[in-house]
Amino acid sequence: MAADEKAQAKGEQAKGKVKKVVGDAVGNESLKGKGHAEESEGDLRAAKEKAKDAVKPK
């Protein structure tokens, strides 16, 4: 499950980055904003997974 969550976080980060770049390139502020939000969601999901890994007993 954790690997699936990590992969989903990376996917959200990548999709968000693409939307942000495309939105900036074509001058679409809405798309740029959606990309920024999606990238942030991926960052938060990745941080959550890192925190879970840090707390997990070894």
Side-chain angles (χ1 to χ4, degrees), residues 29-49:
E29 291 297 319
S30 175
L31 184 60
K32 186 177 174 182
K34 287 178 185 176
H36 184 69
E38 194 166 341
E39 188 175 18
S40 294
E41 285 179 28
D43 292 342
L44 288 172
R45 187 182 305 274
K48 178 185 82 171
E49 290 304 314

Side-chain angles (χ1 to χ4, degrees), residues 2-47:
D4 184 42
E5 291 288 325
K6 288 178 185 177
Q8 188 174 4
K10 291 289 185 189
E12 284 177 350
Q13 289 169 329
K15 279 178 33 181
K17 182 95 171 159
V18 168
K19 284 181 182 179
K20 210 166 63 169
V21 169
V22 170
D24 194 35
V26 298
N28 186 332
E29 291 297 319
S30 175
L31 184 60
K32 186 177 174 182
K34 287 178 185 176
H36 184 69
E38 194 166 341
E39 188 175 18
S40 294
E41 285 179 28
D43 292 342
L44 288 172
R45 187 182 305 274

